[in-house]
Amino acid sequence: MTSQIGEISAMVKRAATDAGFELAGIAAAADAPELGHFPEWIAAGRAGEMKYLEARDDTGALKRASLARVAPWARSVVVCAINYNTANPYSTQVHDSTRGWISRYAWSRDDYHDAVLRRLKLVETALHQNITAELQQALVTRSYVDTGPLVERVYAKYAGVGWIGKNTCILNQKEGSWLFLGVILTSLELSPDVPAPDRCGTCTRCIEACPTDAILAPYQLDSNKCISYLTIEKRGSIPEDLRAGMGHHVFGCDICQDVCPWNRKASASPAPEFQPRPRLVNPALAWLAEMPAEEFQEVFRRSPIRRTRRSGLRRNTAIAMGNSGNKKFLPLLEQMAADDDEFVSESARWAHARLQASQN
């Protein structure tokens, strides 16, 4: 049986490679020590308004704090990772005051959840088709891409895919951190891999580079201050004390990854799903601000940018214009200050006042 399990484990990894994943590993479906910090993180309010992270079972316990609570049948977690990096500048390398920044992962036409899940399903199918009839009868599997009740990066570490960096992202020695993760829970007890060693060393560049001080300490992130959270998940008005730190970001933030030494030699992804649309790489702020609802729906039809909604994108764009120092945006901000959307108009008034003050 041991040799059979070893063969199945190797087969799953080959299937992941065939599906286009650069990395794949297996972790035991056990409660890792890192999960013990999750309830504390939630209790401290670090999740902000992301209430889905606070999902609880019938006893009131946090689902994501223990896989056994939501999938007691699971014995192993297959973790697959695919590179989404592209041969384009980093956010720290562009300084055009008329343009904003959309996070690297959102440049493509398709939502990465769908693109990664399609490939992950190929691996799941291979698992079902390449085991004995006896094992097939009892086999249970579930595939997730950021949608499951588990903390993917913890299992990625124990599957040997990468270590959890000080910015809380998964880092791989060869691939860097531009990685989408997909997981398959399985009732089979497969051969676990060796956890990836932490190679961050004494480096603290990600912590020092964060303009809103969202990385409180190594491996400790406060979502309430994170630019990605503010521009994507935060509804309503963004706290004024954090707006200046947002710089030119209108959707997401890549700074802590842009400055990471492990990304210096990160290769570009060959996957067609992740190739960027030129207009979304360092996009024109005026275009985003004036985009009518119909165009927003068409441009971002299957994009993760839909998550922030047109209202949120225009709110973020107004703030980016206020941070630009470019007085050519004053007339446009005056128009936006009269917008029917109260959060767009309030952000535009703040941005207008900030630009005027920067001229004095």
Side-chain angles (χ1 to χ4, degrees), residues 18 30 33 116 133 139 143 154 167 175 186 190 200 204 206 227 240 250 278 320 322:
D18 292 342
V116 177
L139 179 61
S143 291
V154 171
N167 60 359
E175 298 292 339
T186 173
L190 301 177
C200 281
T204 55
C206 58
I227 296 173
E240 286 195 25
V250 297

Side-chain angles (χ1 to χ4, degrees), residues 110-181:
D110 290 344
D111 190 319
Y112 75 91
H113 295 88
D114 300 329
V116 177
L117 187 60
R118 283 195 298 269
R119 294 172 182 267
L120 197 63
K121 284 294 184 180
L122 295 176
V123 183
E124 185 178 11
T125 298
L127 175 57
H128 280 267
Q129 293 179 343
N130 290 279
I131 58 176
T132 64
E134 182 182 359
L135 289 176
Q136 284 180 7
Q137 290 180 351
L139 179 61
V140 180
T141 58
R142 297 287 186 277
S143 291
Y144 298 111
V145 180
D146 278 358
T147 55
L150 74 164
V151 184
E152 289 92 342
R153 63 180 178 272
V154 171
Y155 293 98
K157 169 186 173 178
Y158 286 92
V161 167
W163 70 94
I164 301 174
K166 292 177 182 177
N167 60 359
T168 73
C169 293
I170 279 291
L171 288 163
N172 179 272
Q173 188 173 0
K174 293 182 179 179
E175 298 292 339
S177 67
W178 306 110
L179 298 169
F180 289 135
L181 299 177

Side-chain angles (χ1 to χ4, degrees), residues 154-230:
V154 171
Y155 293 98
K157 169 186 173 178
Y158 286 92
V161 167
W163 70 94
I164 301 174
K166 292 177 182 177
N167 60 359
T168 73
C169 293
I170 279 291
L171 288 163
N172 179 272
Q173 188 173 0
K174 293 182 179 179
E175 298 292 339
S177 67
W178 306 110
L179 298 169
F180 289 135
L181 299 177
V183 300
I184 302 172
L185 307 185
T186 173
S187 56
L188 282 177
E189 193 162 341
L190 301 177
S191 303
D193 286 285
V194 178
D198 189 325
R199 299 184 185 277
C200 281
T202 59
C203 179
T204 55
R205 293 185 189 185
C206 58
I207 299 174
E208 296 160 3
C210 180
T212 54
D213 298 322
I215 308 175
L216 306 177
Y219 318 107
Q220 297 182 36
L221 178 73
D222 185 352
S223 297
N224 296 286
K225 295 182 177 182
C226 179
I227 296 173
S228 284
Y229 167 80
L230 294 171

Side-chain angles (χ1 to χ4, degrees), residues 329-343:
F329 285 129
L330 286 172
L332 178 53
L333 286 169
E334 287 179 5
Q335 295 177 29
M336 295 177 73
D339 198 272
D340 291 338
D341 188 306
E342 62 176 307
F343 303 115

Side-chain angles (χ1 to χ4, degrees), residues 240-267:
E240 286 195 25
D241 62 326
L242 296 174
R243 295 180 186 182
M246 288 168 58
H248 61 175
H249 294 84
V250 297
F251 185 90
C253 179
D254 296 328
I255 292 175
C256 66
Q257 297 187 81
D258 289 342
V259 301
C260 180
W262 290 105
N263 281 329
R264 286 176 181 168
K265 297 181 180 180
S267 59

